[in-house]
Coordinates of all heavy atoms in Angstrom, one line a residue:
E13 N 94.4 103.3 104.7 CA 95.8 103.3 105.1 C 96.2 104.6 105.8 O 95.6 105.6 105.7 CB 96.7 103.1 103.9 CG 96.7 104.2 102.9 CD 97.2 103.7 101.6 OE1 96.6 102.8 101.0 OE2 98.2 104.2 101.1
N14 N 97.3 104.5 106.5 CA 97.8 105.6 107.3 C 99.2 105.8 106.8 O 100.2 105.2 107.3 CB 97.7 105.3 108.8 CG 98.3 106.4 109.6 OD1 98.5 107.5 109.2 ND2 98.4 106.1 110.9
P15 N 99.5 106.6 105.8 CA 100.7 106.6 105.0 C 101.9 106.9 105.9 O 103.0 106.4 105.5 CB 100.5 107.6 103.9 CG 99.3 108.4 104.2 CD 98.5 107.6 105.2
N16 N 101.8 107.6 106.9 CA 103.0 107.9 107.7 C 103.3 106.9 108.8 O 104.3 107.1 109.5 CB 102.8 109.3 108.4 CG 102.9 110.4 107.4 OD1 103.0 110.1 106.2 ND2 102.8 111.6 107.8
N17 N 102.4 105.9 108.8 CA 102.6 104.9 109.9 C 102.6 105.6 111.3 O 103.2 105.2 112.2 CB 103.8 104.1 109.8 CG 103.7 103.2 108.6 OD1 102.6 102.8 108.2 ND2 104.8 102.8 108.0
E18 N 101.9 106.8 111.4 CA 101.8 107.5 112.7 C 100.8 106.7 113.5 O 99.7 106.3 113.0 CB 101.3 108.9 112.4 CG 102.3 109.8 111.7 CD 101.6 111.0 111.1 OE1 100.4 111.1 111.2 OE2 102.4 111.9 110.7
T19 N 101.0 106.6 114.8 CA 100.1 105.9 115.6 C 98.9 106.8 115.8 O 99.1 108.0 116.3 CB 100.7 105.5 117.0 OG1 101.9 104.9 116.7 CG2 99.8 104.6 117.8
E20 N 97.7 106.4 115.5 CA 96.6 107.2 115.7 C 96.2 107.1 117.2 O 96.3 106.0 117.8 CB 95.4 106.8 114.8 CG 95.9 106.7 113.4 CD 94.9 107.3 112.4 OE1 93.7 107.5 112.8 OE2 95.3 107.7 111.3
T21 N 95.7 108.2 117.7 CA 95.4 108.2 119.2 C 94.3 107.2 119.6 O 94.3 106.8 120.7 CB 95.0 109.6 119.6 OG1 94.0 110.1 118.6 CG2 96.1 110.6 119.6
N22 N 93.4 106.9 118.7 CA 92.3 106.1 119.0 C 92.7 104.6 118.9 O 91.8 103.7 119.1 CB 91.1 106.4 118.3 CG 91.3 106.2 116.8 OD1 92.4 105.9 116.3 ND2 90.2 106.4 116.0
Q23 N 93.9 104.2 118.5 CA 94.2 102.8 118.3 C 94.3 102.1 119.7 O 94.9 102.7 120.6 CB 95.5 102.7 117.6 CG 95.3 102.7 116.1 CD 96.6 102.4 115.3 OE1 97.6 102.6 115.9 NE2 96.4 102.0 114.1
L24 N 93.8 100.9 119.8 CA 93.9 100.2 121.0 C 95.4 99.7 121.1 O 96.0 99.4 120.1 CB 93.0 98.9 120.9 CG 91.5 99.2 121.0 CD1 90.8 98.0 120.5 CD2 91.1 99.5 122.4
P25 N 95.9 99.5 122.3 CA 97.2 98.8 122.4 C 97.1 97.4 121.9 O 96.0 96.8 121.8 CB 97.4 98.8 123.9 CG 96.1 99.1 124.6 CD 95.3 99.9 123.6
K26 N 98.2 96.9 121.4 CA 98.2 95.6 120.7 C 97.4 94.5 121.4 O 96.6 93.8 120.8 CB 99.6 95.2 120.4 CG 99.6 94.0 119.4 CD 101.0 93.9 118.7 CE 101.1 92.7 117.9 NZ 100.0 92.3 117.0
D27 N 97.7 94.3 122.7 CA 97.1 93.2 123.4 C 95.6 93.3 123.5 O 94.8 92.4 123.3 CB 97.7 92.9 124.8 CG 97.8 94.2 125.6 OD1 97.4 95.3 125.0 OD2 98.2 94.2 126.7
D28 N 95.1 94.6 123.7 CA 93.6 94.8 123.7 C 93.0 94.5 122.4 O 91.9 93.9 122.3 CB 93.3 96.3 124.1 CG 93.5 96.5 125.6 OD1 94.0 95.6 126.2 OD2 93.0 97.5 126.1
S29 N 93.6 95.0 121.3 CA 93.0 94.8 120.0 C 93.0 93.3 119.7 O 92.1 92.8 119.0 CB 93.7 95.6 118.9 OG 95.0 95.2 118.8
E30 N 94.0 92.5 120.1 CA 94.0 91.1 119.9 C 92.9 90.4 120.7 O 92.2 89.5 120.2 CB 95.4 90.5 120.2 CG 96.4 90.6 119.1 CD 97.7 90.1 119.4 OE1 97.9 89.5 120.4 OE2 98.7 90.4 118.6
L31 N 92.7 90.9 121.9 CA 91.7 90.3 122.7 C 90.3 90.6 122.1 O 89.5 89.7 122.0 CB 91.7 91.0 124.1 CG 90.6 90.5 125.1 CD1 90.9 89.0 125.5 CD2 90.7 91.3 126.4
E32 N 90.2 91.8 121.6 CA 88.9 92.2 121.0 C 88.6 91.3 119.7 O 87.5 90.9 119.5 CB 89.0 93.7 120.5 CG 87.7 94.3 120.1 CD 87.8 95.7 119.5 OE1 88.6 95.8 118.6 OE2 87.1 96.6 120.0
S33 N 89.7 91.1 119.0 CA 89.5 90.3 117.8 C 89.1 88.8 118.1 O 88.4 88.1 117.5 CB 90.6 90.4 116.8 OG 91.7 89.5 117.2
L34 N 89.7 88.3 119.3 CA 89.4 87.0 119.7 C 87.9 86.9 120.1 O 87.2 86.0 119.8 CB 90.3 86.6 120.9 CG 91.6 85.9 120.6 CD1 92.4 85.7 121.9 CD2 91.3 84.5 120.0
V35 N 87.5 87.9 120.9 CA 86.1 88.0 121.3 C 85.2 88.0 120.1 O 84.2 87.2 120.0 CB 85.9 89.2 122.2 CG1 84.4 89.4 122.5 CG2 86.6 89.0 123.5
R36 N 85.6 88.8 119.1 CA 84.8 88.9 117.9 C 84.7 87.6 117.2 O 83.6 87.1 116.7 CB 85.3 90.0 117.0 CG 84.3 90.5 115.9 CD 84.8 91.6 115.1 NE 85.2 92.7 115.8 CZ 86.4 93.3 115.7 NH1 87.3 92.8 114.9 NH2 86.8 94.4 116.4
K37 N 85.9 86.9 117.1 CA 85.9 85.6 116.4 C 85.0 84.6 117.2 O 84.2 83.8 116.5 CB 87.3 85.0 116.4 CG 88.1 85.4 115.2 CD 89.4 84.6 115.1 CE 90.2 85.0 113.9 NZ 91.6 85.1 114.1
F38 N 85.0 84.7 118.5 CA 84.2 83.7 119.3 C 82.7 84.0 119.0 O 81.9 83.1 118.8 CB 84.5 83.9 120.8 CG 83.7 83.0 121.7 CD1 83.8 81.6 121.6 CD2 82.7 83.6 122.5 CE1 83.0 80.8 122.4 CE2 81.9 82.8 123.3 CZ 82.1 81.4 123.3
Q39 N 82.3 85.3 119.1 CA 80.9 85.7 118.8 C 80.5 85.3 117.4 O 79.4 84.7 117.2 CB 80.7 87.2 119.0 CG 80.8 87.6 120.4 CD 81.0 89.1 120.6 OE1 81.5 89.8 119.7 NE2 80.6 89.6 121.8
D40 N 81.4 85.5 116.4 CA 81.2 85.1 115.1 C 80.9 83.6 115.0 O 80.0 83.1 114.4 CB 82.4 85.4 114.2 CG 82.4 86.9 113.8 OD1 81.5 87.6 114.2 OD2 83.4 87.3 113.2
S41 N 81.7 82.8 115.7 CA 81.6 81.4 115.6 C 80.3 80.9 116.3 O 79.8 79.9 115.9 CB 82.9 80.7 116.2 OG 82.8 80.8 117.6
I42 N 79.8 81.6 117.3 CA 78.6 81.2 117.9 C 77.4 81.4 116.8 O 76.6 80.6 116.6 CB 78.3 82.0 119.2 CG1 79.2 81.6 120.3 CG2 76.8 81.8 119.6 CD1 79.1 82.5 121.5
S43 N 77.5 82.6 116.2 CA 76.5 82.9 115.2 C 76.6 82.0 114.0 O 75.7 81.8 113.2 CB 76.5 84.4 114.8 OG 77.7 84.7 114.2
M44 N 77.8 81.5 113.8 CA 78.1 80.6 112.6 C 77.1 79.4 112.6 O 76.8 78.9 111.6 CB 79.5 79.9 112.7 CG 80.6 80.8 112.4 SD 80.4 81.5 110.8 CE 81.4 82.9 110.9
G45 N 76.8 78.9 113.9 CA 75.9 77.8 114.0 C 74.7 77.9 113.1 O 74.3 77.0 112.4
K46 N 74.1 79.1 113.1 CA 72.9 79.4 112.3 C 73.2 79.4 110.8 O 72.4 79.1 110.0 CB 72.3 80.7 112.7 CG 71.9 80.7 114.2 CD 70.9 81.9 114.5 CE 71.7 83.1 114.9 NZ 72.5 83.0 116.2
K47 N 74.5 79.9 110.5 CA 74.7 80.3 109.1 C 75.2 79.1 108.2 O 75.2 79.2 107.0 CB 75.8 81.3 109.0 CG 75.5 82.6 109.6 CD 76.6 83.6 109.3 CE 76.6 84.7 110.3 NZ 77.8 85.5 110.4
H48 N 75.7 78.0 108.8 CA 76.4 77.1 108.0 C 75.8 75.7 107.9 O 76.5 74.7 107.9 CB 77.9 77.0 108.5 CG 78.6 78.3 108.3 ND1 78.7 78.9 107.1 CD2 79.1 79.1 109.2 CE1 79.3 80.0 107.2 NE2 79.6 80.2 108.5
K49 N 74.5 75.7 107.8 CA 73.8 74.4 107.5 C 74.4 73.6 106.4 O 74.7 72.4 106.6 CB 72.3 74.7 107.1 CG 71.4 75.2 108.3 CD 70.9 74.0 109.1 CE 70.0 74.5 110.1 NZ 70.7 75.1 111.3
F50 N 74.8 74.3 105.3 CA 75.4 73.6 104.2 C 76.7 73.0 104.5 O 77.0 71.9 104.4 CB 75.4 74.5 103.0 CG 76.2 73.9 101.8 CD1 75.7 72.8 101.1 CD2 77.5 74.4 101.5 CE1 76.5 72.3 100.1 CE2 78.3 73.8 100.5 CZ 77.7 72.8 99.8
W51 N 77.6 73.9 105.1 CA 79.0 73.5 105.3 C 79.1 72.5 106.4 O 80.1 71.7 106.4 CB 79.9 74.7 105.7 CG 80.1 75.6 104.4 CD1 79.5 76.8 104.1 CD2 80.9 75.2 103.3 NE1 79.9 77.2 102.9 CE2 80.7 76.2 102.3 CE3 81.7 74.1 103.0 CZ2 81.4 76.2 101.1 CZ3 82.3 74.1 101.7 CH2 82.2 75.1 100.8
E52 N 78.1 72.4 107.3 CA 78.2 71.4 108.3 C 77.9 70.0 107.7 O 78.2 69.0 108.4 CB 77.1 71.7 109.4 CG 77.6 72.7 110.4 CD 76.5 73.3 111.3 OE1 75.5 72.7 111.4 OE2 76.8 74.4 111.8
T53 N 77.4 69.9 106.5 CA 77.2 68.6 105.9 C 78.4 68.2 105.0 O 78.4 67.1 104.4 CB 75.9 68.7 105.0 OG1 76.2 69.6 103.8 CG2 74.7 69.2 105.7
Q54 N 79.4 69.1 104.9 CA 80.5 68.9 104.0 C 81.8 68.4 104.7 O 81.9 68.7 105.9 CB 80.8 70.2 103.3 CG 79.7 70.7 102.5 CD 79.2 69.8 101.4 OE1 80.0 69.4 100.5 NE2 77.9 69.4 101.4
P55 N 82.6 67.6 104.0 CA 83.9 67.2 104.7 C 84.9 68.3 104.7 O 85.9 68.4 104.0 CB 84.3 66.1 103.7 CG 83.8 66.4 102.4 CD 82.5 67.1 102.7
V56 N 84.7 69.2 105.7 CA 85.6 70.3 105.9 C 85.8 70.4 107.5 O 85.0 69.8 108.2 CB 85.1 71.7 105.4 CG1 84.9 71.7 103.9 CG2 83.7 72.0 106.1
G57 N 86.9 71.0 107.9 CA 87.2 71.1 109.3 C 86.0 71.9 109.9 O 85.5 72.9 109.4
Q58 N 85.5 71.4 111.1 CA 84.3 72.1 111.7 C 84.8 72.9 112.9 O 85.8 72.5 113.6 CB 83.3 71.0 112.1 CG 82.7 70.2 110.9 CD 81.9 71.1 110.0 OE1 81.4 72.1 110.3 NE2 81.7 70.6 108.8
F59 N 84.1 74.0 113.2 CA 84.4 74.8 114.3 C 84.5 74.0 115.6 O 85.4 74.3 116.5 CB 83.4 76.0 114.5 CG 83.5 77.0 113.4 CD1 82.4 77.3 112.6 CD2 84.7 77.6 113.1 CE1 82.5 78.2 111.6 CE2 84.8 78.6 112.1 CZ 83.7 78.9 111.3
K60 N 83.6 73.0 115.8 CA 83.6 72.3 117.0 C 84.9 71.5 117.3 O 85.2 71.1 118.4 CB 82.4 71.3 117.1 CG 82.4 70.2 116.1 CD 81.2 69.3 116.2 CE 81.0 68.4 115.1 NZ 82.2 67.6 114.7
D61 N 85.7 71.3 116.2 CA 86.9 70.5 116.3 C 88.2 71.3 116.5 O 89.2 70.8 116.7 CB 87.1 69.6 115.1 CG 86.0 68.6 114.9 OD1 85.3 68.2 115.9 OD2 85.7 68.3 113.7

Side-chain angles (χ1 to χ4, degrees):
E13 68 201 61
N14 178 10
N16 288 1
N17 293 333
E18 294 163 351
T19 310
E20 307 227 340
T21 45
N22 61 356
Q23 277 185 338
L24 290 165
K26 189 157 172 46
D27 48 358
D28 279 14
S29 61
E30 276 176 12
L31 180 67
E32 191 187 55
S33 79
L34 268 175
V35 169
R36 198 177 305 126
K37 269 194 183 135
F38 177 66
Q39 288 165 337
D40 284 352
S41 72
I42 293 173
S43 63
M44 284 305 157
K46 298 195 269 299
K47 290 186 206 167
H48 294 304
K49 287 277 183 283
F50 171 71
W51 288 106
E52 281 165 18
T53 67
Q54 301 298 302
V56 294
Q58 298 295 339
F59 289 123
K60 64 180 171 47
D61 299 331

